[in-house]
Amino acid sequence: MDQDMPDQRAPEQVTFDRPEVVAEVRSAFDRYERALADGDVAVMTELFWDDPRCVRFGIADRQQGADEIEAWRHTHPSVPPGRTLRDTRVLAVDDRTAVVTTLISYPDRAIEGRQSQTWVRLPEGWRVVEAHVSELPLGA
């Protein structure tokens, strides 16, 4: 194909939300959330892509690459007690890519947390390749 010509091929059909893919990703997400609550850095590290291109944007921090993410986890191994998730959604784009979003609350904090993760099925299993966490004061 000529480099100066745009790709004229028809896009492949995308099948969203195949139930088996949603279930697999939800299981991986739930495992990550248990590790987060328990402070299990080994599992959290395992479930993030082991690559320098992996990104995690936190509330007041950011990490680029698996090494930075793991180092940050060792100093911040868990979340405050009482963390509650709601409206968790898994959008399976195809059989290898999914986006998980959820809202977060804590019993003693007047905030709404928001979390999004992009998961990719790699040879070693489902891994987070990008994560973003933010908070807003309730009523904002």
Side-chain angles (χ1 to χ4, degrees):
M1 181 179 292
D2 186 341
Q3 285 184 316
D4 296 329
M5 297 295 294
D7 188 352
Q8 299 296 317
R9 292 178 292 180
E12 293 180 28
Q13 181 68 27
V14 176
T15 304
F16 287 94
D17 293 333
R18 289 182 31 215
E20 69 276 12
V21 177
V22 171
E24 290 173 11
V25 174
R26 181 61 195 245
S27 178
F29 173 80
D30 290 343
R31 184 169 176 238
Y32 174 80
E33 284 296 318
R34 280 190 306 278
L36 190 58
D38 295 342
D40 189 337
V41 174
V43 170
M44 287 184 279
T45 300
E46 171 195 333
L47 292 173
F48 265 74
W49 185 30
D50 186 6
D51 191 277
R53 294 169 288 179
C54 188
V55 175
R56 181 188 173 279
F57 293 133
I59 295 165
D61 57 273
R62 64 181 161 85
Q63 297 81 47
Q64 174 73 48
D67 292 342
E68 283 186 18
I69 294 168
E70 182 178 9
W72 189 85
R73 278 283 166 229
H74 279 288
T75 59
H76 301 84
S78 63
V79 293
R83 176 179 160 110
T84 303
L85 304 182
R86 71 180 188 288
D87 200 21
T88 302
R89 299 177 186 206
V90 177
L91 171 63
V93 177
D94 53 32
D95 67 342
R96 298 177 323 171
T97 312
V99 176
V100 179
T101 58
T102 194
L103 299 175
I104 305 161
S105 60
Y106 296 94
D108 60 344
R109 297 174 64 192
I111 59 100
E112 176 181 80
R114 293 130 182 234
Q115 176 176 297
S116 63
Q117 299 170 331
T118 303
W119 290 77
V120 173
R121 184 196 314 259
L122 300 172
E124 59 274 21
W126 286 100
R127 297 297 184 262
V128 176
V129 299
E130 180 279 333
H132 191 150
V133 181
S134 61
E135 291 181 351
L136 284 177
L138 287 176

